[in-house]
Amino acid sequence: MPEALRPVWIIAKREVRDLFRDWRIIFPIVGLTVLFPFLMNFTAQQILDFVRGYGANIVGERMVPFLMMIVGFFPLSGSLVIALDTFVGEKERGSIEPLLNTPLQDWQLYLGKLLAAIVPCLAGSYLGMGVYLSGLALQSVPLPEIQLTVLIIVLTSVQAVVMVSGAVVVSSQATSVRASNLLSSFIIIPIALLIQGESIMMFWGTYATLWWAVFGLLVLSVLLVRVGLAHFRREELLGREIDVLNFCWGWRVFRSQFSGGASNVPAWYLKVVPAAVRKMGKAVLLTTGFALISVWIGAAQFQRFPLDLSGIDFGARLDQITTLLPAFSANSLLAIWAQNIRVQFIGLVLGVFSFGILGFMPILAGLGISGYLVGVLYQNGVPLLPAIVGFFLPHSLFEIPALILATAAIFQFGVLLATNNPEKTIGEVSISALADWAKIMVGLVIPLLLVGAAVEAWVTPRIALLLLH
């Protein structure tokens, strides 16, 4: 394996040497990277002077590491152009053909170009943060704690790898530099939103959460590299001239994958849907394990975040609720059903942008909160079995399997994208994976959620009333 990696280092060294020879690349990276930290130094000093006048020193202290994170991110957004130019730029200039004609394997060529694109991004980021910290020291501004400084450096480094890995995937699949630059918004905007969330965690001082963000970004970067390696083929890079948005072709691929060759609905339910469930068997087992862990974690939090409900008569409250509810109200059923379906579509959107990882968030949050509520009810004198049976179990028998299947389908979507399939393009794989998700949603999840919503609206409150009256 080390011998196989030698061509990777050779390509990376060649690319980095060529990049740093071009003054049009060096001047923006060095010039803007050095200028921006001085602006942040001035901003930090002004903020500290302002908040000290009002006795809010903690705001200034939290602002200093936040500005360091922004200084580290600023060169990444500029250097991302280098990564976007990696393949498609050389293709337009006609300088990539000699490299593609070498006896290098596809993965060696891809990794070499990827490493070469990461170096200037990290160099600019480290240079900016170094200048910023030096400016703080010269102005006698208290530096962030060493642990927090290391955290910001690691977080910025992982964000750089994620952004560059995504940009190189875009560059290897795009047909023009203009298209790759436009597609870069799907990289910059999510990372910018992530930085906003990280800034909130930083102001709250919850630094342990930021280490979890580092771990999640590290997993995402590995998946992005895996996706790039799985779908990079030099023949297609040279053969693609222009991408045409062909809705008819996309619909044919989707319909063929969704129907699975079945000629009618009974055959679809008897053959296609069970085959789709078996196909994602490992994903279902993994999702079930995460679901059980989330319930356990949620149930363990009632001692950390106690909630006093001792003054509430649950039987009387349930009696009031059930008397106000019609015997079989369609409005409450439809409201619950629509909400559960909406959550699954949110999970799909999160999963598409994270290769299935963030698709776990809805089920983890929902079951974690349910576990916490069971713990709170038990803490306030409600017996454990009536608390579970009366408030959660009846409709959960239908909703939890539906949530597990939907989440597993989203995770399977990411797995298929990261799997090498030489017979299909990345667009065809994406459409087919989306059809598999729709197959599970239409065939199983939506009907199960409908039954669960009916039980939750009509049955569960009355069972709870019988048990707790």
Side-chain angles (χ1 to χ4, degrees):
M1 187 63 181
E3 188 64 26
L5 288 175
R6 283 193 61 207
V8 175
W9 305 123
I10 293 173
I11 294 174
K13 287 170 59 178
R14 166 189 172 272
E15 294 289 327
V16 171
R17 185 172 62 249
D18 291 344
L19 285 173
F20 284 101
R21 282 177 177 173
D22 193 340
W23 67 270
R24 292 166 295 185
I25 296 175
I26 296 299
F27 180 75
I29 292 179
V30 176
L32 296 178
T33 299
V34 172
L35 177 63
F36 189 68
F38 282 109
L39 178 60
M40 291 296 102
N41 287 136
F42 174 77
T43 303
Q45 185 63 58
Q46 296 301 312
I47 292 174
L48 287 173
D49 294 339
F50 178 77
V51 298
R52 283 169 184 166
Y54 294 91
N57 294 336
I58 189 172
V59 177
E61 293 173 1
R62 297 288 167 81
M63 184 63 71
V64 170
F66 167 72
L67 293 177
M68 178 181 173
M69 184 173 64
I70 298 301
V71 166
F73 173 74
F74 177 75
L76 300 182
S77 58
S79 303
L80 194 65
V81 177
I82 298 174
L84 292 169
D85 189 71
T86 300
F87 287 106
V88 69
E90 288 205 36
K91 176 187 173 183
E92 285 193 351
R93 294 189 297 270
S95 59
I96 199 172
E97 284 84 354
L99 187 60
L100 295 180
N101 289 327
T102 60
L104 297 173
Q105 299 183 37
D106 285 349
W107 69 269
Q108 293 173 329
L109 177 61
Y110 187 88
L111 285 182
K113 302 283 279 187
L114 174 64
L115 290 176
I118 290 175
V119 170
C121 292
L122 289 179
S125 182
Y126 293 156
L127 177 62
M129 288 188 289
V131 173
Y132 175 74
L133 292 175
S134 301
L136 292 179
L138 292 175
Q139 295 178 354
S140 300
V141 176
L143 298 178
E145 300 175 358
I146 184 64
Q147 297 88 343
L148 182 55
T149 303
V150 172
L151 172 60
I152 295 174
I153 293 174
V154 173
L155 187 61
T156 303
S157 302
V158 178
Q159 285 174 170
V161 176
V162 169
M163 293 177 67
V164 171
S165 301
V168 174
V169 171
V170 169
S171 181
S172 65
Q173 298 297 320
T175 56
S176 65
V177 174
R178 179 177 59 182
S180 66
N181 288 333
L182 291 173
L183 289 172
S184 66
S185 59
F186 290 99
I187 302 171
I188 296 175
I189 293 177
I191 294 296
L193 294 175
L194 177 65
I195 289 178
Q196 293 181 21
E198 292 169 354
S199 65
I200 295 174
M201 297 296 102
M202 193 168 293
F203 276 103
W204 277 101
T206 54
Y207 301 135
T209 306
L210 292 177
W211 282 111
W212 283 107
V214 170
F215 174 75
L217 287 170
L218 186 61
V219 174
L220 182 58
S221 64
V222 172
L223 287 175
L224 283 169
V225 174
R226 182 72 182 87
V227 168
L229 290 173
H231 297 282
F232 176 73
R233 301 178 188 90
R234 64 180 76 190
E235 298 85 1
E236 293 184 3
L237 184 65
L238 292 174
R240 286 195 308 265
E241 293 297 333
I242 187 171
D243 285 327
V244 178
L245 192 60
N246 193 335
F247 288 103
C248 295
W249 170 83
W251 170 246
R252 287 195 301 269
V253 173
F254 182 89
R255 184 179 60 184
S256 175
Q257 186 70 19
F258 183 82
S259 64
S263 57
N264 51 59
V265 175
W268 185 73
Y269 261 107
L270 291 175
K271 296 181 180 180
V272 179
V273 175
V277 174
R278 288 192 298 270
K279 181 180 178 181
M280 61 180 196
K282 294 180 180 179
V284 170
L285 292 176
L286 180 65
T287 305
T288 304
F290 277 118
L292 294 174
I293 293 173
S294 66
V295 173
W296 175 75
I297 293 176
Q301 299 304 309
F302 76 91
Q303 294 180 342
R304 185 179 179 185
F305 303 100
L307 187 61
D308 186 11
L309 303 176
S310 57
I312 298 177
D313 187 349
F314 292 101
R317 290 294 180 90
L318 287 170
D319 197 9
Q320 294 175 1
I321 294 173
T322 51
T323 54
L324 293 175
L325 289 175
F328 295 100
S329 172
N331 292 333
S332 58
L333 180 151
L334 293 176
I336 296 172
W337 189 42
Q339 172 62 20
N340 289 335
I341 293 176
R342 189 182 305 118
V343 168
Q344 299 314 308
F345 276 98
I346 293 174
L348 173 65
V349 174
L350 294 174
V352 167
F353 283 97
S354 62
F355 300 98
I357 297 175
L358 293 182
F360 284 98
M361 294 301 296
I363 189 172
L364 296 182
L367 294 182
I369 293 173
S370 299
Y372 170 73
L373 292 177
V374 170
V376 168
L377 292 173
Y378 179 74
Q379 182 189 32
N380 286 271
V382 179
L384 186 60
L385 187 59
I388 296 176
V389 175
F391 289 93
F392 301 100
L393 185 61
H395 56 276
S396 296
L397 293 175
F398 302 96
E399 290 183 354
I400 290 180
L403 297 178
I404 290 175
L405 287 172
T407 305
I410 295 172
F411 180 72
Q412 186 73 9
F413 180 95
V415 171
L416 291 175
L417 281 181
T419 302
N420 185 16
N421 190 343
E423 298 179 357
K424 295 182 179 181
T425 64
I426 189 170
E428 192 172 356
V429 170
S430 300
I431 295 173
S432 299
L434 184 62
D436 287 337
W437 174 85
K439 195 184 305 178
I440 298 297
M441 283 292 296
V442 174
L444 296 174
V445 174
I446 292 178
L448 284 173
L449 290 179
L450 178 61
V451 177
V455 174
E456 186 175 358
W458 299 338
V459 179
T460 301
R462 290 166 174 82
I463 293 178
L465 181 62
L466 292 174
L467 292 175
L468 300 175
H469 206 282

